[in-house]
Amino acid sequence: IDWTVEDGWHDAHVRPYGPLTFSPAAAVLHYGQEIFEGMKAFRHADGSVWTFRPESNGRRLQHSARRMALPELPVDLFVESIKQLVKTDEAWVPGGGESSLYIRPFMIANEDFLGVRPARRVAYYVIASPAGAYFKGGIKPVSIWLSRDYARAGRGGTGSAKCGGNYASSLLPQREAVENGCAQVLFLDAETNTYVEELGGMNVFLVQKDGSVITPSLTGSILEGITRDSVIQLLRDRGHTVTERRVEIAEWMEGVRSGEISEVFACGTAASISPIGVLKGADFSVGDADAQPGEITMGIRKDLLDIQYGRAPDRHGWLTRLV
Ligand code: PMP
């Protein structure tokens, strides 16, 4: 779907996957004026295809658009774009196991103009690709790497927007994480380097031994994960107390060492819920790499996947039928 200052949103169409053509002066290539979303479509046992909380992705895209001085796509048009794309060939939504169709909506500034001001011509696209199970051969707790040298986002920055620039700044620390045998990097707040923010692509939860759960509050510099919001709801459904508050990294480290924190997990669209076994950095390591995934972590994971794959009633009205 195209957008110009003069005409607003217009010319929605589906076309075969292939290269896009831009001017070498397209604003997105120079100033990073672009945003995106990540979501999935799930095939249920009866063959129908559903997506999870698409209005939330649509609203988050609008939030990202406001921060990046891009036009807001109406949420109903966003949801319709997902429906139209998935319907073009329903056979590409895999069935069985934990496979899904990964969907990537994105918006870029494609005005050819060298100069720092919001572009007057923008395009919105949706692409998709079948995705297998995130964990192959069983769910194993992952290790994560504490980045002390790099922050993902600071106060007043773009941390709560889903824009490419945030991920550009996390490429180097993410590479450091992988070089140290970790799946993802953990970021602390940029101002004090004290409070837990999020992983490179997931939000985090700490389960205490009394069953209460803590997750870092939305400070404006972390992404408001849709899985995060769903997990808070599912934990409360199971009777857990969930507190959103600032969490010091020392509280996490000491809590795991003392046993006060019994489980740690991360969540996001790609992996749904992933147990965290070890937190390590240049000069420390806490947790047990051979630990079994925690009971609460795996219970919530099952609750979420059962709703997404239609194996449990959609009691919160989170699913939208696509096919
Ligand atoms: N934080 C970051 C930085 C992410 O990239 C993602 C993935 N979109 C998340 C958290 C989790 O968000 P969601 O649950 O909406 O996928």
Side-chain angles (χ1 to χ4, degrees):
I1 311 175
D2 294 322
W3 179 91
T4 57
V5 167
E6 297 76 27
D7 299 329
W9 291 107
H10 62 277
D11 195 19
H13 58 275
V14 180
R15 65 169 187 234
Y17 188 88
L20 303 173
T21 311
F22 309 114
S23 158
V28 62
L29 301 175
H30 302 271
Y31 310 113
Q33 195 189 3
E34 64 89 41
I35 55 176
F36 63 100
E37 273 302 320
M39 48 206 289
K40 282 179 170 177
F42 306 93
R43 188 177 290 283
H44 290 187
D46 66 359
S48 58
V49 176
W50 303 72
T51 192
F52 188 71
R53 304 185 67 179
E55 300 81 9
S56 299
N57 291 91
R59 283 194 296 270
R60 189 168 68 186
L61 190 75
Q62 291 187 324
H63 168 81
S64 301
R66 286 193 291 275
R67 180 62 184 86
M68 299 302 288
L70 283 162
E72 289 176 44
L73 183 72
V75 171
D76 55 351
L77 205 49
F78 173 86
V79 175
E80 187 57 27
S81 73
I82 307 296
K83 276 191 189 154
Q84 290 298 325
L85 182 70
V86 174
K87 274 186 184 162
T88 55
D89 183 6
E90 66 149 301
W92 69 345
V93 185
E98 284 181 17
S99 57
S100 59
L101 181 74
Y102 183 78
I103 303 168
R104 167 55 56 87
F106 62 105
M107 192 189 294
I108 59 172
N110 67 0
E111 184 185 5
D112 45 336
F113 174 79
L114 292 183
V116 182
R117 62 138 171 81
R120 299 169 61 84
R121 198 171 72 220
V122 166
Y124 163 79
Y125 303 91
V126 192
I127 55 173
S129 170
Y134 192 84
F135 290 100
K136 291 165 189 78
I139 294 145
K140 284 191 287 292
V142 297
S143 300
I144 57 168
W145 178 254
L146 178 62
S147 172
R148 288 283 193 191
D149 298 330
Y150 306 104
R152 182 178 167 279
R155 182 158 11 108
T158 56
S160 73
K162 201 161 170 63
C163 62
N166 292 339
Y167 298 85
S169 78
S170 68
L171 289 173
L172 188 59
Q174 175 63 26
R175 185 169 72 190
E176 195 177 279
V178 171
E179 284 167 358
N180 285 282
C182 293
Q184 286 216 2
V185 55
L186 171 69
F187 290 109
L188 301 181
D189 74 294
E191 283 72 36
T192 67
N193 224 12
T194 304
Y195 298 102
V196 176
E197 297 240 295
E198 63 186 330
L199 302 186
M202 301 176 95
N203 296 110
V204 289
F205 285 77
L206 309 177
V207 182
Q208 307 190 98
K209 70 171 190 247
D210 67 0
S212 61
V213 182
I214 316 164
T215 190
S217 39
L218 299 170
T219 52
S221 54
I222 70 175
L223 192 76
E224 197 169 333
I226 292 156
T227 321
R228 174 189 180 280
D229 186 70
S230 310
V231 164
I232 291 174
Q233 192 62 57
L234 292 172
L235 283 164
R236 289 183 176 148
D237 291 353
R238 277 178 170 245
H240 295 273
T241 303
V242 185
T243 313
E244 298 176 65
R245 64 164 168 84
R246 302 237 279 179
V247 181
E248 285 193 29
I249 186 66
E251 177 180 356
W252 176 341
M253 287 161 62
E254 283 156 22
V256 171
R257 285 200 184 106
S258 70
E260 194 56 42
I261 291 172
S262 53
E263 299 179 29
V264 186
F265 66 85
C267 70
T269 297
S272 88
I273 290 170
S274 167
I276 295 175
V278 174
L279 167 64
K280 65 179 179 177
D283 51 5
F284 77 96
S285 174
V286 293
D288 176 2
D290 299 320
Q292 289 300 307
E295 208 176 299
I296 295 168
T297 303
M298 294 308 284
I300 289 297
R301 188 172 199 281
K302 181 173 184 312
D303 288 354
L304 179 64
L305 292 176
D306 280 353
I307 292 176
Q308 290 175 331
Y309 285 94
R311 297 184 294 250
D314 176 22
R315 59 186 188 274
H316 294 292
W318 284 338
L319 299 184
T320 293
R321 186 161 182 178
L322 299 175
V323 177

